[in-house]
Amino acid sequence: MHAIENGATGSLRRPVRAVYWLLRACHPGPTAAVTLLVGGLAVAAGRSGPQALLMTAAVLAGQLSVGWSNDAVDAARDAVTGRRTKAVVAGEVSAGAVRAAAVGALTLCLPLSFACGPLAGTVHLLGVAAGWAYNLGLKATALSWLPYAVGFASLPAFVALGLPGRPWPAWWSVTAAALLGVGAHLADVLPDIAGDLATGVRGWPQRLGRRRAALLLPLPLVAATVVLVSGGPGPAGATGLLAVVASVAVAVGGVLLAGVRPKAPFLGAVVVAAVDVALLLRQGTGLG
């Protein structure tokens, strides 16, 4: 009797475990961060609850497709470098299952994006296409930063073009988002540079090398702070100036501490990125 019960329990646990690992394969941290950012921008831009949810769902589907396609494409390379935290390498789900999930999410992303408006949907899908292009080959070139810049820049543009009258996005929001994307690229790749080089991936950060990439990491993020403060609606004010000073101080501090604390530039970049996101959300109503 106990054997039957244990067998039944095990058969129930297996699908749950597979779903858990499949969700891990979508890169849940970046996926959640980007999705929540767009939800916040949509609310800040004055979208109603249902409209904001629609935009958020479209971005979630797009990010899931990019995350899953990344793990599906990199499965063989991850196996070579022994990345047992990856679902496919750990043997918890197959590369085919992850690939099917990516295609399914992309298929769902298409109608959700266009439901936000034809122009807005086209811009969003351009950003999603940039993510797929990165996974399918651009990540191994000197232009590896470009899909991140395009993908992040498409987010405020997607929100703005989905507003009534389809206003063109403010230049500073698109530029700052693109700079955030470049910083995100450096941050994402930094921990894996050694493994990437061992498997022949020579993107922009890999060509720089770990030390130079770490030192460069805060710069596009600080540049985004300056763009948001100087280009945003209204005068910079004390809050804006304080944000710039704080971002520069944190970034410089991280670089100076790199010799004794190798993770200091990365931690500093996280703080500066948080400042940038807060500024972008605060000024979100200026998207149009």
Side-chain angles (χ1 to χ4, degrees):
M1 183 67 177
H2 288 297
I4 295 175
E5 290 178 351
N6 290 337
T9 302
S11 64
L12 288 173
R13 286 177 179 172
R14 280 192 291 272
V16 173
R17 185 177 178 87
V19 170
Y20 165 76
W21 279 92
L22 188 61
L23 290 175
R24 282 190 58 168
C26 78
H27 298 227
T31 294
V34 172
T35 301
L36 291 173
L37 172 61
V38 170
L41 286 174
V43 171
R47 305 303 284 163
S48 66
Q51 292 167 332
L53 284 174
L54 178 61
M55 285 190 157
T56 303
V59 171
L60 175 59
Q63 291 301 304
L64 287 172
S65 78
V66 172
W68 278 324
S69 67
N70 182 276
D71 267 28
V73 171
D74 285 353
R77 189 179 297 115
D78 290 337
V80 171
T81 56
R83 300 187 66 183
R84 301 291 299 176
T85 57
K86 292 289 189 176
V88 177
V89 180
E92 298 291 345
V93 293
S94 67
V98 178
R99 190 178 304 112
V103 173
L106 181 61
T107 302
L108 183 61
C109 179
L110 293 171
L112 288 173
S113 297
F114 284 122
C116 300
L119 188 54
T122 299
V123 168
H124 178 238
L125 291 173
L126 176 63
V128 174
W132 277 73
Y134 175 85
N135 295 337
L136 293 173
L138 275 179
K139 69 182 299 178
T141 74
L143 294 177
S144 60
W145 57 272
L146 184 58
Y148 273 80
V150 172
F152 272 71
S154 73
L155 300 175
F158 173 51
V159 173
L161 292 169
L163 291 169
R166 293 176 297 191
W168 196 250
W171 71 267
W172 47 264
S173 66
V174 175
T175 303
L179 289 167
L180 273 172
V182 175
H185 175 41
L186 289 167
D188 283 349
V189 173
L190 196 59
D192 303 320
I193 284 181
D196 288 341
L197 290 173
T199 54
V201 176
R202 288 184 52 81
W204 177 50
Q206 292 89 348
R207 294 167 192 241
L208 288 173
R210 181 177 175 82
R211 183 174 180 277
R212 284 189 292 179
L215 295 178
L216 181 64
L217 171 57
L219 295 185
L221 302 174
V222 171
T225 308
V226 173
V227 168
L228 286 167
V229 170
S230 62
T239 301
L241 294 176
L242 179 62
V244 172
V245 171
S247 294
V248 171
V250 170
V252 171
V255 170
L256 293 177
L257 290 172
V260 292
R261 293 186 178 274
K263 291 186 178 181
F266 177 80
L267 295 175
V270 170
V271 174
V272 178
V275 172
D276 292 340
V277 170
L279 286 170
L280 193 56
L281 290 172
R282 185 171 73 93
Q283 299 171 183
T285 52
L287 289 174

Coordinates of all heavy atoms in Angstrom, one line a residue, residues 95-140:
A95 N 16.2 19.9 -24.0 CA 16.3 21.1 -24.8 C 15.1 21.3 -25.7 O 14.7 22.5 -25.9 CB 17.6 21.0 -25.6
G96 N 14.5 20.2 -26.2 CA 13.3 20.3 -27.0 C 12.2 21.0 -26.3 O 11.4 21.8 -26.8
A97 N 12.0 20.6 -25.0 CA 10.9 21.2 -24.2 C 11.1 22.7 -24.0 O 10.1 23.5 -24.1 CB 10.8 20.5 -22.9
V98 N 12.3 23.1 -23.7 CA 12.6 24.5 -23.5 C 12.4 25.2 -24.8 O 11.9 26.4 -24.8 CB 14.1 24.7 -23.0 CG1 14.4 26.2 -22.9 CG2 14.3 24.0 -21.7
R99 N 12.8 24.6 -25.9 CA 12.6 25.2 -27.3 C 11.1 25.4 -27.6 O 10.7 26.5 -28.1 CB 13.3 24.4 -28.3 CG 13.4 25.1 -29.7 CD 14.1 24.2 -30.7 NE 15.4 23.8 -30.2 CZ 15.8 22.6 -29.9 NH1 14.9 21.6 -29.9 NH2 17.0 22.3 -29.4
A100 N 10.4 24.4 -27.2 CA 8.9 24.5 -27.5 C 8.3 25.5 -26.6 O 7.4 26.3 -27.1 CB 8.3 23.1 -27.2
A101 N 8.7 25.7 -25.4 CA 8.2 26.7 -24.5 C 8.5 28.1 -25.1 O 7.7 29.0 -25.0 CB 8.8 26.6 -23.1
A102 N 9.7 28.3 -25.6 CA 10.1 29.6 -26.2 C 9.2 29.9 -27.4 O 8.8 31.0 -27.5 CB 11.6 29.5 -26.7
V103 N 9.0 28.9 -28.3 CA 8.1 29.2 -29.4 C 6.7 29.5 -29.0 O 6.0 30.3 -29.6 CB 8.2 28.0 -30.4 CG1 7.2 28.1 -31.5 CG2 9.6 27.8 -31.0
G104 N 6.2 28.7 -28.0 CA 4.9 29.0 -27.5 C 4.7 30.4 -26.9 O 3.7 31.1 -27.2
A105 N 5.7 30.8 -26.1 CA 5.7 32.2 -25.6 C 5.7 33.2 -26.7 O 5.0 34.3 -26.6 CB 6.8 32.4 -24.6
L106 N 6.6 33.0 -27.7 CA 6.6 34.0 -28.8 C 5.3 34.0 -29.6 O 4.9 35.1 -30.0 CB 7.8 33.5 -29.7 CG 8.0 34.5 -30.9 CD1 8.4 35.9 -30.5 CD2 9.1 33.9 -31.8
T107 N 4.7 32.9 -29.8 CA 3.4 32.8 -30.4 C 2.4 33.6 -29.7 O 1.5 34.4 -30.3 CB 2.9 31.4 -30.6 OG1 3.9 30.7 -31.3 CG2 1.6 31.3 -31.3
L108 N 2.4 33.5 -28.4 CA 1.4 34.3 -27.5 C 1.8 35.8 -27.5 O 0.9 36.6 -27.4 CB 1.5 33.7 -26.1 CG 0.5 34.3 -25.1 CD1 -0.9 34.1 -25.5 CD2 0.8 33.8 -23.7
C109 N 3.1 36.1 -27.6 CA 3.5 37.5 -27.6 C 3.0 38.3 -28.8 O 2.7 39.5 -28.7 CB 5.0 37.5 -27.6 SG 5.8 39.2 -27.6
L110 N 2.8 37.6 -29.9 CA 2.4 38.3 -31.2 C 1.0 39.0 -31.0 O 0.9 40.2 -31.2 CB 2.4 37.4 -32.3 CG 3.8 36.9 -32.8 CD1 3.6 35.7 -33.8 CD2 4.6 38.0 -33.4
P111 N 0.0 38.3 -30.7 CA -1.3 38.9 -30.5 C -1.4 39.9 -29.4 O -2.1 40.9 -29.4 CB -2.3 37.8 -30.4 CG -1.5 36.6 -29.9 CD -0.2 36.8 -30.5
L112 N -0.7 39.6 -28.3 CA -0.7 40.5 -27.1 C -0.1 41.8 -27.4 O -0.6 42.9 -27.0 CB 0.0 39.8 -25.9 CG -0.7 38.6 -25.2 CD1 0.2 38.0 -24.2 CD2 -2.0 39.1 -24.5
S113 N 1.0 41.8 -28.2 CA 1.7 43.0 -28.6 C 0.8 43.9 -29.5 O 0.7 45.1 -29.3 CB 3.0 42.7 -29.3 OG 3.9 42.0 -28.4
F114 N 0.3 43.3 -30.5 CA -0.6 44.0 -31.5 C -1.9 44.5 -30.9 O -2.5 45.4 -31.3 CB -0.8 43.2 -32.7 CG 0.4 43.1 -33.6 CD1 1.0 41.9 -34.0 CD2 1.0 44.3 -34.1 CE1 2.1 41.9 -34.8 CE2 2.1 44.2 -34.9 CZ 2.6 43.0 -35.3
A115 N -2.3 43.8 -29.8 CA -3.5 44.3 -29.1 C -3.3 45.6 -28.4 O -4.2 46.3 -28.1 CB -4.0 43.2 -28.1
C116 N -2.0 46.0 -28.2 CA -1.7 47.3 -27.6 C -1.6 48.4 -28.7 O -1.3 49.6 -28.4 CB -0.4 47.2 -26.9 SG -0.4 46.0 -25.5
G117 N -1.8 48.0 -29.9 CA -1.8 49.0 -31.1 C -0.8 48.5 -32.1 O 0.3 47.9 -31.7
P118 N -1.0 48.7 -33.4 CA -0.1 48.2 -34.4 C 1.3 48.7 -34.4 O 2.2 48.0 -34.5 CB -0.8 48.6 -35.7 CG -1.8 49.7 -35.3 CD -2.2 49.4 -33.9
L119 N 1.4 50.0 -34.1 CA 2.8 50.6 -34.1 C 3.5 50.2 -32.8 O 4.7 49.8 -32.8 CB 2.7 52.1 -34.2 CG 4.0 52.9 -34.3 CD1 4.8 52.3 -35.5 CD2 3.8 54.4 -34.5
A120 N 2.8 50.2 -31.7 CA 3.4 49.8 -30.4 C 3.8 48.4 -30.5 O 4.9 48.0 -30.0 CB 2.4 50.1 -29.3
G121 N 2.9 47.5 -31.0 CA 3.2 46.1 -31.1 C 4.4 45.8 -32.0 O 5.2 45.0 -31.7
T122 N 4.5 46.6 -33.1 CA 5.7 46.4 -34.0 C 7.0 46.7 -33.3 O 8.0 46.0 -33.4 CB 5.5 47.3 -35.3 OG1 4.3 46.9 -36.0 CG2 6.7 47.1 -36.2
V123 N 7.0 47.8 -32.5 CA 8.2 48.3 -31.8 C 8.5 47.2 -30.8 O 9.7 46.9 -30.6 CB 7.9 49.6 -31.2 CG1 9.0 50.0 -30.2 CG2 7.9 50.7 -32.2
H124 N 7.5 46.7 -30.0 CA 7.8 45.7 -29.0 C 8.4 44.5 -29.6 O 9.4 43.9 -29.1 CB 6.6 45.4 -28.2 CG 6.8 44.3 -27.2 ND1 6.1 43.1 -27.1 CD2 7.8 44.2 -26.2 CE1 6.6 42.4 -26.1 NE2 7.6 43.0 -25.5
L125 N 7.8 44.0 -30.7 CA 8.3 42.8 -31.4 C 9.7 43.0 -31.9 O 10.5 42.0 -32.0 CB 7.3 42.4 -32.4 CG 6.0 41.8 -31.9 CD1 5.0 41.6 -33.0 CD2 6.2 40.6 -31.1
L126 N 10.1 44.2 -32.3 CA 11.4 44.5 -32.7 C 12.4 44.3 -31.6 O 13.5 43.7 -31.8 CB 11.5 46.0 -33.2 CG 12.9 46.5 -33.6 CD1 13.4 45.7 -34.8 CD2 12.9 48.0 -34.0
G127 N 12.0 44.7 -30.4 CA 12.8 44.5 -29.2 C 13.0 43.0 -28.9 O 14.1 42.5 -28.6
V128 N 11.9 42.2 -29.0 CA 11.9 40.8 -28.8 C 12.8 40.1 -29.9 O 13.6 39.2 -29.6 CB 10.5 40.2 -28.8 CG1 10.6 38.7 -28.7 CG2 9.7 40.8 -27.7
A129 N 12.7 40.6 -31.1 CA 13.5 40.0 -32.2 C 15.0 40.3 -31.9 O 15.8 39.4 -32.2 CB 13.1 40.6 -33.5
A130 N 15.3 41.4 -31.3 CA 16.7 41.7 -31.0 C 17.2 40.7 -29.9 O 18.4 40.2 -30.0 CB 16.8 43.1 -30.4
G131 N 16.4 40.3 -29.0 CA 16.7 39.4 -28.0 C 17.0 38.0 -28.6 O 18.0 37.3 -28.3
W132 N 16.2 37.6 -29.6 CA 16.4 36.3 -30.3 C 17.6 36.4 -31.1 O 18.4 35.4 -31.2 CB 15.1 36.0 -31.1 CG 14.0 35.3 -30.4 CD1 13.2 35.9 -29.5 CD2 13.6 34.0 -30.4 NE1 12.3 35.0 -29.0 CE2 12.5 33.8 -29.6 CE3 14.1 32.9 -31.2 CZ2 11.9 32.6 -29.4 CZ3 13.5 31.6 -31.0 CH2 12.4 31.5 -30.1
A133 N 17.9 37.5 -31.8 CA 19.1 37.7 -32.6 C 20.3 37.5 -31.7 O 21.3 36.9 -32.2 CB 19.1 39.0 -33.3
Y134 N 20.3 38.0 -30.5 CA 21.4 37.9 -29.6 C 21.7 36.4 -29.3 O 22.8 35.9 -29.4 CB 21.1 38.6 -28.3 CG 22.2 38.4 -27.2 CD1 23.3 39.2 -27.2 CD2 22.0 37.5 -26.2 CE1 24.3 39.0 -26.2 CE2 22.9 37.3 -25.2 CZ 24.1 38.1 -25.2 OH 25.0 37.9 -24.2
N135 N 20.6 35.7 -29.0 CA 20.7 34.3 -28.6 C 21.2 33.5 -29.8 O 22.0 32.5 -29.6 CB 19.4 33.7 -28.2 CG 18.9 34.4 -26.9 OD1 19.7 34.9 -26.1 ND2 17.6 34.3 -26.7
L136 N 20.8 33.8 -31.0 CA 21.1 33.0 -32.2 C 22.4 33.3 -32.9 O 22.8 32.7 -33.9 CB 20.0 33.2 -33.2 CG 18.6 32.6 -32.8 CD1 17.5 33.0 -33.8 CD2 18.7 31.1 -32.6
G137 N 23.2 34.3 -32.3 CA 24.5 34.5 -32.9 C 25.2 35.8 -32.5 O 26.4 35.9 -32.5
L138 N 24.4 36.9 -32.4 CA 25.1 38.2 -32.1 C 25.8 38.2 -30.8 O 26.7 39.0 -30.6 CB 24.0 39.3 -32.1 CG 23.7 39.9 -33.5 CD1 22.6 40.9 -33.4 CD2 24.9 40.4 -34.2
K139 N 25.5 37.3 -29.9 CA 26.2 37.3 -28.6 C 27.7 37.0 -28.7 O 28.5 37.3 -27.9 CB 25.5 36.3 -27.6 CG 25.7 34.8 -28.1 CD 25.0 33.9 -27.1 CE 25.6 34.0 -25.7 NZ 24.9 33.1 -24.8
A140 N 28.1 36.4 -29.8 CA 29.4 36.0 -30.0 C 30.2 37.0 -30.9 O 31.3 36.7 -31.4 CB 29.5 34.6 -30.7

